[in-house]
Amino acid sequence: MTQDFFAPVDSVSKQDRDGAERRLREAYGLGRMDVAEFEARMSRVITAERLEELAAAVDGPLPFAAAGSGYRAYEPSGAVSGEVLPVRPSADRSNVTAAVAHLSAFLFWLFGPLVVWAISPAGSYAKREAAKAFNWQLVASAVGLATSAVGWILSGDGNPVARIWMIVWVILTILGAVGAARGKDWRNPVRALVPWEVLSEGKR
């Protein structure tokens, strides 16, 4: 794993955290853990400060997980086992809730993602995606107001800038929902340029 040059030797870098999240998603996609274990491990990955904490979050045991659930605990990538992995449903409750957080903005604007964020468990994937959806809608609203103001400046009928932005907003909101439904950490390109967080999206 890699560290920032000026950071303590055993501190967690963005690359370390991204790699750990990727491994967990791969294991979850293969059915090696249920949603409760996945969210518990993801929460520990997001909050890990040291490399040993990150390693424990990915490879360490979680006693409550897999007990009678039909899922086995996550094994490191080098583990060898002849056990047949169960197939989990293609869309679990957390992913569906995360997707709803994004799509709810079409009906309830900022309040849809905000409600989902408020009712989701701390550290869960759904809460993180709801925060991302809320922050995106906040940025999109600010840009929308700016593009609407252009209509007062441009001569002629209509406001092509506002219409273009409306299309961009719809597309990026839908892409966010699709990524959330698939359990991916999709990064909105506009948010990448405007990293404005009112609701915390977790450590990166």
Side-chain angles (χ1 to χ4, degrees):
M1 294 185 176
T2 59
Q3 292 86 32
D4 186 277
F5 182 79
F6 295 103
V9 174
D10 61 344
S11 65
V12 176
S13 69
K14 181 181 184 300
Q15 289 77 13
D16 295 332
R17 205 181 307 277
D18 287 346
E21 291 183 9
R22 184 168 56 253
R23 287 188 61 190
L24 288 181
R25 289 195 180 89
E26 290 173 354
Y28 180 51
L30 291 172
R32 292 183 177 180
M33 65 184 75
D34 61 12
V35 62
E37 182 177 358
F38 174 72
E39 292 190 349
R41 290 185 183 276
M42 284 294 288
S43 178
R44 294 172 64 185
V45 165
I46 292 171
T47 58
E49 299 285 352
R50 302 293 183 183
L51 292 177
E52 62 181 10
E53 296 174 352
L54 193 68
V58 176
D59 297 333
L62 287 178
F64 72 87
S69 65
Y71 291 82
R72 69 184 185 188
Y74 174 65
E75 296 179 350
S77 57
V80 178
S81 172
E83 182 181 357
V84 177
L85 296 175
V87 178
R88 69 169 180 85
S90 59
D92 60 75
R93 183 172 59 185
S94 181
N95 288 13
V96 171
T97 303
V100 168
H102 287 271
L103 295 176
S104 63
F106 288 129
L107 294 176
F108 306 109
W109 185 45
L110 293 172
F111 301 104
L114 184 60
V115 168
V116 176
W117 176 86
I119 65 176
S120 298
S124 67
Y125 178 70
K127 196 176 192 75
R128 182 175 175 179
E129 285 298 313
K132 288 170 60 177
F134 178 88
N135 293 332
W136 157 237
Q137 295 304 325
L138 201 59
V139 170
S141 297
V143 176
L145 288 174
T147 57
S148 296
V150 173
W152 295 91
I153 302 173
L154 297 177
S155 58
D157 296 331
N159 186 346
V161 177
R163 287 198 295 269
I164 292 173
W165 175 248
M166 178 67 70
I167 295 173
V168 171
W169 169 69
V170 170
I171 292 175
L172 293 183
T173 299
I174 292 175
L175 288 177
V178 171
R182 294 178 177 176
K184 295 182 177 180
D185 187 17
W186 183 75
R187 185 64 171 169
N188 186 306
V190 176
R191 285 293 322 287
L193 296 175
V194 187
W196 185 19
E197 287 191 17
V198 174
L199 296 182
S200 175
E201 299 174 10
K203 295 183 179 180
R204 304 296 302 156

